Amino acid sequence: MLVGLPWFLMDIATYGVGLFTPIILGAIDISGQKRGAIIHELAAAKGSGAIDLFLLFGFLLGIWAVPKFGRIRMQAIGFGGMTFGMILLMIAVHPSNSSFHIPLVFAGFILFNLLMNAGPNSTTFTLAPILFPTQLRATASGFAASVAKIGATLGVFALPILKGSFGVPAVLGMMAAVSVLGLMVTLIFGREDTEN
């Protein structure tokens, strides 16, 4: 459960949100201008580029934080940050938040990207080698990776369908729920003896 399920859930959110960041930004309309499709698409591309820098910062933070604070703790912090990032995005798309719209959009994506890479994207693949005896490590790692890729595939194919059927706020809510599930599985099944 600990090596497969959190990685599966993280990949749903990572690939679902990550690959479609420009589409989500476009649907949220970060351009703030009504001049046309080109300005709208350019704003989404620029915003996506700026947000994606925090993926790199998240990995750098993970390189420092995971050895210092432990895999399970950083994985839990990461899933918590991913959840709050999606909640900020849900708040941003609410019509009553027009004055804070763009700052909330960027804060939500930045929090999601930063803590995803500092947390579960830096920890999930390292759990199988430390939890299983040497003769089973490769099998456990392969199993966990294959389960994760099912999640990635689900995120890539399901998000556009869900967005088309239910809209951006519902998709953001679903990604927040997926992140909460990752947090719960990590907290329930994670053990401190996995840190060694």
Side-chain angles (χ1 to χ4, degrees), residues 82-84 86-87 90 171-181:
M82 291 166 63
T83 302
F84 284 117
M86 290 295 101
I87 290 170
M90 288 172 55
V171 169
L172 297 173
M174 288 177 214
M175 294 303 105
V178 164
S179 299
V180 166
L181 285 173

Side-chain angles (χ1 to χ4, degrees), residues 31-182:
S31 68
Q33 301 177 17
K34 305 295 182 201
R35 292 194 202 162
I38 294 174
I39 290 176
H40 183 74
E41 295 300 323
L42 187 59
K46 285 180 180 178
S48 181
I51 288 166
D52 285 349
L53 284 174
F54 287 87
L55 293 169
L56 174 63
F57 298 150
F59 274 126
L60 295 174
L61 179 60
I63 289 169
W64 172 79
V66 170
K68 185 172 180 70
F69 300 110
R71 289 174 183 89
I72 300 301
R73 183 175 296 141
M74 286 308 299
Q75 186 164 302
I77 290 168
F79 276 123
M82 291 166 63
T83 302
F84 284 117
M86 290 295 101
I87 290 170
L88 283 176
L89 286 169
M90 288 172 55
I91 293 168
V93 299
H94 196 275
S96 67
N97 293 316
S98 59
S99 59
F100 296 108
H101 176 73
I102 292 176
L104 283 173
V105 167
F106 280 95
F109 271 117
I110 287 168
L111 187 61
F112 180 88
N113 283 348
L114 184 70
L115 289 177
M116 173 192 57
N117 277 354
N121 211 17
S122 293
T123 60
T124 50
F125 66 93
T126 66
L127 291 174
I130 63 168
L131 286 173
F132 289 89
T134 304
Q135 64 271 24
L136 296 176
R137 286 180 182 167
T139 302
S141 294
F143 171 77
S146 65
V147 169
K149 294 316 156 218
I150 293 169
T153 304
L154 184 63
V156 167
F157 287 107
L159 186 113
I161 295 167
L162 294 172
K163 180 187 160 287
S165 298
F166 302 107
V168 171
V171 169
L172 297 173
M174 288 177 214
M175 294 303 105
V178 164
S179 299
V180 166
L181 285 173

